Amino acid sequence: MLEGPLWGIWNAMSPLNLLFGLIGCILGTLVGVLPGLGPASAVALLFPVTISLPPVPAIIMLGGIYYGAMYGGSTTSILMNIPGESSSVPTTFDGYEMAKQGRAGPALAIAAIGSFVGGTLAIMALSFTGPLLASLLFYFTAPDYAGMIFFSLVSLATLSGKSILKGILMVLTGMLLATVGCSLGGIPCFTFGSVKMMGGLDLVSMVVGLFGISEIMVSLEEEVATISRAKLGKLMPTLQEMRNCIGCTLRSTGLGFFLGLLPGMVPTIASFMAYDVEKRVSRNRANFGKGAIEGVCAPEVANNANAQAGYIPMMAFGIPPTPTLAMLLAALMIFGLEPGPLLFTKNADFVWTIIGAMYVGNAILLILNLPLVGLWARIVHIPYKLLAPIILGLCFLGAYAIRDDMFDVAVAVLFGIMGYMAKKFDWPTPPLLLGFILGPKLEGYLRPSLSVSGGSMAIFFTRPISLGFILLTFLLIGIRFYLRKIEKTGQAQV
Amino acid sequence: MYFSLTRFGFSAFIILYLAFPSIFCQAAEYPSKPITLLVGYAPGGGTDLAARLISGYFSKKWGQQLMVVNKPGGNLVPCVLELYKAKPDGYTLMVDTNGASSIQTAIMRNLPFKLEDRIFLTNFLINPTFYFCSANKPWKTLKEAAEYAKKDPANFKWAAMDISSTTTLSLIQFLDAIGVDILKTKKMDFKGGPDVMVAGANGEVDFANYGIGPALPLIESGKIRPLALISPQRIKRLPDLPTVKEEGFPGLTAAQWCGISGPPKLPKEIVAKWDQEMKKAAADPEFTASIEKLGMIVHYLPSEAYKKMVWDEMKLFTDLAEKIGVRPK
């Protein structure tokens, strides 16, 4: 008699479960590959269909869409410098460089393998610790989150640009753009009297504009995208490259997993953080931004580990860390499978089957993605004049689908122009995205912290977790200045 | 050459149908084409789920697709404006809530539409919220919590969300009812439901309010202590949890509801159709069971009663908003 995880895997391999797992993984990969279409909208669309299915296959399918999208997001990042999901933005930094050097194959392969390893390690942690780890989130209070986000903002501001000042300015612009809309008190901000603007700017239109439309504009200007001229090269990474990625994979899994346990720390934040960490600690750090394979591996590992870890607070306490998991939670409740500690005892069979399905799903995705590497890599041989309108159409579709409104398409076009200008004048765009994502989160934790302390900043220095993050932030700034000084004196001597 | 009457008739029908589809449609009974259901919230929340359940149920029953279209953000103003601009033919309706109707009118100024123009078709559910605190707080009942708030209002921390949410308004209503000056208390503004639940569970706040459905796992795990349900009746899932009325606070009426609303000048026949159909659905055990699984209650109200409820609530919230200075007189 099989028990626990093994029983779950066995159960997840029953023909019906396997079929729906496969459907979910394929849909997820597709949603991931297509820029602008995210897992949250795909799950929302399929929601009425799934609730008429039996519970187990339905949850397996929705889960497949969620982690499938994490796999698929890297494909266009690497091949066209256009991220399929916001969580794959950091993958473009080195992935596209690799593709330009004719190493698209190894980049795609490492993204798939890294995703598989990161995902699987995270599920193993999930199946061995169960709901225990979920309690971690109760140790974090508002000031602690504020400290953590402050740390992330400072450390990520200088991620991809050469100039620290430009990076910080872009982060601040992103934070400012995020305030467009209605404040918590119901007061319109920066809406210029327009009701559409009250709804705010959406992340999707920002991502497809800044990274999709602008890239197409730049590529069309260069007439032939440089990448099409590159040779296909070999498809698999070398053994040495794989070995180099081991440390990076373990670190990124840990980071992605930890962030996944906390509500609001979405995969995008995890992948940026993982890239940032590797850029600092990897032995190959000098090559980051110039086609380092670790730079592709880190974000892809982290976003998968993050996506899988998100199941823990969702199943243990009904607290969904991401919007997609909120939909999954709702599906569980409609099936009468209420999350909570009792789910693990009362419906242990169900829990193990879902966990088993995650193992199986990751294996399916690896099998699905590795042979596709050759196929995807050939996409770049399609003439760009045919490819560009298709991608542009998908970008517009994704923006339109946010709330069935042309307003968001117009916003995407404006972001496209902005991204184009930024590329021309060498301003980094990823910090803008980070400011846009993290700014409202910082506000969301700063406000309650300061209202409880009566406006005193001391609250951030009296709690161990938030104090820790603030010290870490200053340490980081200190190290950076120290390294700069060494660099300068070194150059002077030469 | 031969002539087939059937073939001619068939082709003539197709050509006529394609050229003037309305000839054939007008005769058909409502709904004869897909209906758009606007939802002012992002996918995954309580109202969105209720809308998706309604969509699934009536799509099957009527053989016409009900499409849920999410228009989140902007304190629900963009979504409501979209409804008012729609053609009043019954093919664009909105899943209405307190936030989109009574609270919005009470809190916001210069709205680009008027509440009195809206057509209220039928109310169908209550999504009960509940007052709660962390399990490590000393108070066990709503009355004890009230005593504590009265004794030391300056240290009474409560979790608010954005001002257009029913949960925030009902917390303000509670503090007002027990005679505590809201401006003296510590109001902590959180951005989302999960944050409120976590802050409630780890004791970061003393008092909070949230939808009972999503909080069931935390109640079950003993992390939070439910104090009272804001609903006209108890829920099956937690039969021991008393309502606010039973706890001695009959004035706390800010229950979170969902209804169907339409654009101005919507014909009476469509209102009647929805009213009848929703009444039937409310008596259908399959429909009620799917709603109850989410921790919600089926609560059918016909058009007139629904409208009256919204107006009463609007007046109540306007008074409250003026009292705390959200909306200047």
Side-chain angles (χ1 to χ4, degrees):
Chain A
M1 184 66 203
L2 297 165
E3 271 189 31
L6 287 176
W7 184 85
I9 293 174
W10 174 248
N11 215 7
M13 304 256 274
S14 77
L16 188 69
N17 292 344
L18 203 59
L19 175 71
F20 279 95
L22 188 65
I23 294 175
C25 289
I26 293 174
L27 282 176
T29 308
L30 208 64
V31 160
V33 170
L34 303 177
L37 296 181
S41 47
V43 170
L45 251 152
L46 281 174
F47 197 76
V49 186
T50 33
I51 53 178
S52 50
L53 289 174
V56 175
I59 299 294
I60 290 179
M61 180 169 87
L62 294 183
I65 294 175
Y66 184 43
Y67 38 80
M70 298 297 146
Y71 274 76
S74 57
T75 309
T76 42
S77 299
I78 293 167
L79 295 176
M80 288 162 228
N81 204 14
I82 298 171
E85 299 298 321
S86 56
S87 60
S88 287
V89 171
T91 314
T92 58
F93 304 158
D94 282 283
Y96 187 59
E97 288 302 319
M98 283 182 73
K100 276 204 278 195
Q101 297 159 11
R103 290 158 70 212
L108 288 166
I110 205 76
I113 296 167
S115 295
F116 172 74
V117 177
T120 306
L121 287 177
I123 307 162
M124 280 163 85
L126 168 85
S127 41
F128 290 122
T129 59
L132 272 178
L133 276 176
S135 301
L136 181 79
L137 69 96
F138 295 111
Y139 292 99
F140 280 71
T141 57
D144 304 328
Y145 278 111
M148 188 158 86
I149 292 162
F150 177 65
F151 167 74
S152 322
L153 267 175
V154 172
S155 102
L156 294 176
T158 55
L159 185 70
S160 61
K162 281 148 212 139
S163 157
I164 295 185
L165 187 68
K166 279 183 177 176
I168 291 174
L169 280 173
M170 284 306 245
V171 166
L172 293 176
T173 312
M175 289 168 93
L176 208 59
L177 286 170
T179 61
V180 173
C182 254
S183 74
L184 279 180
I187 299 155
C189 303
F190 297 119
T191 58
F192 303 101
S194 142
V195 173
K196 298 268 187 211
M197 294 277 277
M198 276 175 83
L201 308 176
D202 196 275
L203 179 65
V204 173
S205 27
M206 180 182 242
V207 173
V208 299
L210 275 187
F211 302 100
I213 296 171
S214 72
E215 179 61 29
I216 291 172
M217 286 162 80
V218 171
S219 301
L220 286 179
E221 205 176 50
E222 290 162 7
E223 278 184 19
V224 189
T226 35
I227 181 160
S228 316
R229 283 190 238 123
K231 278 196 302 268
L232 192 54
K234 60 184 179 48
L235 291 180
M236 287 296 137
T238 61
L239 211 59
Q240 185 56 40
E241 283 174 322
M242 302 263 268
R243 210 175 290 149
N244 290 346
C245 283
I246 292 175
C248 153
T249 303
L250 293 178
R251 281 188 294 270
S252 305
T253 304
L255 185 72
F257 187 81
F258 167 72
L259 289 175
L261 295 173
L262 304 173
M265 298 294 121
V266 291
T268 310
I269 301 177
S271 59
F272 268 104
M273 289 291 274
Y275 183 86
D276 187 50
V277 167
E278 286 314 308
K279 202 181 168 189
R280 289 170 209 281
V281 306
S282 172
R283 242 178 279 159
N284 193 17
R285 58 178 168 264
N287 277 326
F288 267 61
K290 296 173 205 146
I293 197 157
E294 293 91 338
V296 178
C297 181
E300 289 304 313
V301 170
N303 65 30
N304 276 275
N306 182 284
Q308 305 288 6
Y311 274 83
I312 299 180
M314 194 268 276
M315 293 217 279
F317 294 112
I319 294 172
T322 65
T324 320
L325 282 173
M327 295 295 298
L328 228 94
L329 176 67
L332 282 178
M333 294 192 56
I334 288 179
F335 290 127
L337 295 157
E338 201 172 278
L342 282 184
L343 183 71
F344 287 81
T345 47
K346 229 168 44 183
N347 289 309
D349 286 1
F350 170 77
V351 173
W352 286 124
T353 308
I354 295 305
I355 292 174
M358 293 182 193
Y359 284 110
V360 176
N362 271 282
I364 292 178
L365 282 163
L366 185 71
I367 298 168
L368 213 62
N369 277 288
L370 274 186
L372 279 181
V373 166
L375 186 73
W376 289 131
R378 273 186 195 90
I379 279 191
V380 296
H381 291 290
I382 299 174
Y384 206 74
K385 62 182 174 196
L386 293 180
L387 210 52
I390 297 173
I391 302 167
L392 205 58
L394 285 168
C395 288
F396 288 155
L397 184 71
Y400 181 76
I402 301 166
R403 42 197 160 194
D404 288 27
D405 205 321
M406 283 310 281
F407 168 75
D408 293 299
V409 179
V411 172
V413 171
L414 283 179
F415 272 122
I417 294 168
M418 195 172 159
Y420 173 78
M421 302 291 269
K423 274 176 193 174
K424 287 280 145 183
F425 295 103
D426 199 24
W427 283 70
T429 43
L432 190 78
L433 176 74
L434 285 164
F436 191 79
I437 296 177
L438 290 171
K441 287 190 194 295
L442 185 65
E443 185 202 2
Y445 294 111
L446 209 59
R447 262 179 91 130
S449 308
L450 290 177
S451 67
V452 80
S453 74
S456 158
M457 284 295 210
I459 191 165
F460 300 108
F461 299 95
T462 50
R463 288 167 193 254
I465 301 179
S466 82
L467 180 68
F469 278 115
I470 288 173
L471 289 180
L472 218 57
T473 312
F474 285 112
L475 191 72
L476 201 75
I477 297 172
I479 290 175
R480 181 154 300 158
F481 276 107
Y482 177 70
L483 286 178
R484 253 195 165 188
K485 215 174 157 190
I486 290 183
E487 233 170 61
K488 271 189 187 157
T489 47
Q491 278 168 355
Q493 276 164 4
V494 171
Chain B
M1 214 176 160
Y2 88 108
F3 177 80
S4 153
L5 194 61
T6 359
R7 196 182 284 177
F8 173 76
F10 183 70
S11 330
F13 174 80
I14 294 288
I15 291 164
L16 272 175
Y17 184 85
L18 291 175
F20 311 102
S22 55
I23 304 175
F24 298 91
C25 287
Q26 260 163 10
E29 203 190 339
Y30 172 85
S32 58
K33 60 178 188 185
I35 300 172
T36 300
L37 267 186
L38 300 170
V39 172
Y41 304 86
T47 309
D48 174 69
L49 292 173
R52 287 179 200 277
L53 286 179
I54 290 282
S55 138
Y57 183 81
F58 286 109
S59 296
K60 211 194 292 176
K61 202 166 175 197
W62 292 344
Q64 282 297 344
Q65 199 64 38
L66 275 77
M67 295 174 303
V68 175
V69 172
N70 301 82
K71 303 251 172 199
N75 261 347
L76 300 130
V77 177
C79 179
V80 177
L81 187 65
E82 191 82 18
L83 178 77
Y84 276 62
K85 281 202 269 177
K87 206 169 147 198
D89 55 2
Y91 292 101
T92 309
L93 299 168
M94 181 180 75
V95 179
D96 214 336
T97 57
N98 319 56
S101 57
S102 54
I103 300 181
Q104 196 180 60
T105 315
I107 301 281
M108 298 188 76
R109 281 171 297 165
N110 309 328
L111 285 171
F113 41 74
K114 286 195 183 104
L115 188 63
E116 48 263 47
D117 293 340
R118 198 176 307 179
I119 306 290
F120 296 93
L121 288 87
T122 167
N123 197 306
F124 64 94
L125 71 77
I126 283 189
N127 181 4
T129 64
F130 71 119
Y131 295 120
F132 68 93
C133 64
S134 163
N136 57 32
K137 298 283 171 191
W139 43 92
K140 303 268 191 286
T141 63
L142 196 58
K143 279 228 167 79
E144 286 176 30
E147 285 309 311
Y148 174 83
K150 275 193 262 186
K151 218 190 307 172
D152 190 7
N155 270 321
F156 191 71
K157 303 185 284 277
W158 53 282
M161 291 209 287
D162 62 279
I163 193 74
S164 65
S165 67
T166 321
T167 55
T168 307
L169 258 294
S170 87
L171 283 160
I172 294 173
Q173 203 185 18
F174 170 76
L175 292 168
D176 184 59
I178 61 171
V180 168
D181 183 356
I182 294 138
L183 299 175
K184 280 194 186 133
T185 57
K186 278 195 170 140
K187 170 173 172 264
M188 293 174 76
D189 292 313
F190 287 94
K191 272 225 158 136
D195 289 333
V196 167
M197 286 198 280
V198 173
N202 64 15
E204 200 180 349
V205 292
D206 300 317
F207 198 64
N209 180 344
Y210 199 64
I212 188 99
L216 284 170
L218 282 172
I219 299 174
E220 211 157 65
S221 62
K223 293 267 175 199
I224 61 176
R225 178 184 300 137
L227 298 170
L229 197 66
I230 306 154
S231 155
Q233 70 209 65
R234 294 189 180 202
I235 55 164
K236 281 191 191 139
R237 218 9 222 84
L238 289 175
D240 295 334
L241 181 63
T243 65
V244 273
K245 198 176 170 189
E246 290 167 336
E247 281 290 277
F249 294 90
L252 304 181
T253 49
Q256 191 167 285
W257 49 261
C258 288
I260 303 284
S261 293
K265 304 195 181 78
L266 189 71
K268 283 202 180 70
E269 303 82 67
I270 290 165
V271 178
K273 166 92 177 171
W274 269 90
D275 198 353
Q276 285 164 17
E277 293 282 332
M278 198 59 92
K279 196 174 179 182
K280 275 188 235 162
D284 181 347
E286 190 200 337
F287 179 72
T288 46
S290 64
I291 298 268
E292 276 164 13
K293 271 182 192 152
L294 290 170
M296 302 176 186
I297 302 172
V298 175
H299 185 254
Y300 160 76
L301 280 182
S303 177
E304 277 307 307
Y306 172 25
K307 187 174 180 181
K308 185 177 176 309
M309 180 198 69
V310 175
W311 278 91
D312 289 348
E313 209 179 67
M314 196 269 287
K315 283 174 200 140
L316 182 87
F317 289 154
T318 308
D319 287 347
L320 265 182
E322 277 172 9
K323 218 176 228 171
I324 60 162
V326 173
R327 179 198 169 107
K329 275 182 200 173

